[in-house]
Amino acid sequence: MVVLQLPCSICCSYATRNRLPLLSSLLRKQSYVQQANPRPADGRAASKTGDTSLPQGHSKATVFKADTFVGVGKQQIKRRIASPASVEDFLFAAPAPTQPLPSLSKLPSIYASLAKSRLTTLVVLTGVGGYAMAPGVFDINTLLLLSAGTALQSAAANATNQIIEVKYDTQMYRTRNRVLVRGLISREHAAAFAAISGVLGTSMMLAGVNTLTCGLGVLNYFIYTAAYTPMKRMSTSNTWVGSVVGALPPVMGWTAATGAIDLGALWLGSILYIWQFPHFKALSWNIKNDYQRAGYQMSAVTDPEMCKRVAFRHTGFMTLVCCLGPMVGATTHLFTFLSLPCNLYGVYLGWRFYRDGDSKSSRNLFRFSLVQIPYLILMMLISKDWQRQQSVDSAEVT
């Protein structure tokens, strides 16, 4: 394997000059970037075979591949990188050269990464929750088509987002291992995956659910890819737009059962909309350096006080909105009492985050938000207004 060594002093100087203290400190911990083989005495990079020609598919900016070890205290991080021809290319490397078409055994994991499988699962669960809460006749075929269609539309949106942001993902520690950044799949392949997923998901919605639900899914795709994604680099208002994307899936579940948007659907959507703010503000707080490095306009970077204030404020809004369930006919008063302790604890964590503004308080609020929404959906189902459901069933029978 051909290798390349870069003097640490040069890298550190460039990193310090460009306000990259973390990368600078990492590079200072080693005299050279450790590679698999030593450099020959004549100063030329050489492989075991002695062939110094460029590997197929590599440019001069990314000539060699090597296993790079970066030491951090007692830990050691191993990264597979494309070694660049200059220090600038090393610090701000382009996505790795695209590899040949991956084997069939690797495609499922690659597609799951493109679809952001965990996020897509949460989207589907909120859609199913909306369907279960709606006062319509339960139909297993509609539910299955709704779930599959929502998953495919979400996968299409997430894959499109990664295609658009791949050059920024290379600059963030949180996203540098995504499949497009690592060159495990080409952009054209990812685009084909997004297109096929979007067409299949939309067709399922249109044929097996209803036109309104299908339209909401298509609208959500464009809000995410054409509005929220570019706004992340333009304005902190991106969070208010992006929260609409998380609010629409339960509304889609409701419309799949009822065929209409009523107060119950808006109430469900408002809960998911409000939940986004403490969830994302707490998340962004601990990775704000990543966002700053990539040029994203997040309030955690541009206005930390507003970030804390908005997160705290929306924990209070969540408590109030959950009390409206009985008034819109979605739940009984039992939901108010079941949700109140959970939401009040969320208010307490939001206040701690607002007061302290440190990693611990933001992390506690973020972790709580991951538990909060599944808990609230479960409590909604327990306290659903089943008398209203029975009256709808009776009307359908007659």
Side-chain angles (χ1 to χ4, degrees), residues 133-168:
M133 284 298 299
V137 177
F138 179 83
D139 181 59
I140 187 62
N141 292 326
T142 301
L143 178 60
L144 291 176
L145 288 170
L146 169 70
S147 302
T150 302
L152 288 168
Q153 287 182 332
S154 176
N158 289 324
T160 304
N161 168 263
Q162 291 185 62
I163 294 170
I164 295 171
E165 294 186 339
V166 61
K167 63 181 178 180
Y168 308 118

Side-chain angles (χ1 to χ4, degrees), residues 291-313:
Y291 284 127
Q292 185 176 23
R293 188 180 302 112
Y296 290 122
Q297 299 298 306
M298 302 300 175
S299 60
V301 175
T302 62
D303 193 343
E305 290 301 317
M306 184 183 76
C307 178
K308 296 187 294 182
R309 186 170 59 250
V310 169
F312 177 39
R313 181 189 303 156

Side-chain angles (χ1 to χ4, degrees), residues 28-105:
R28 285 194 186 100
K29 290 182 179 291
Q30 51 186 20
S31 59
Y32 292 98
V33 177
Q34 299 297 324
Q35 305 289 358
N37 300 315
R39 176 186 290 273
D42 61 0
R44 292 178 302 138
S47 66
K48 292 182 179 179
T49 61
D51 183 11
T52 58
S53 60
L54 292 180
Q56 184 177 1
H58 289 250
S59 65
K60 290 183 179 179
T62 54
V63 178
F64 310 112
K65 276 188 172 292
D67 285 330
T68 299
F69 297 84
V70 180
V72 185
K74 294 183 179 180
Q75 296 180 344
Q76 196 174 56
I77 303 171
K78 180 179 178 181
R79 285 194 296 149
R80 188 80 173 173
I81 67 167
S83 301
S86 68
V87 176
E88 288 82 359
D89 290 330
F90 175 76
L91 293 174
F92 300 104
T98 302
Q99 303 296 318
L101 187 66
S103 62
L104 292 178
S105 62

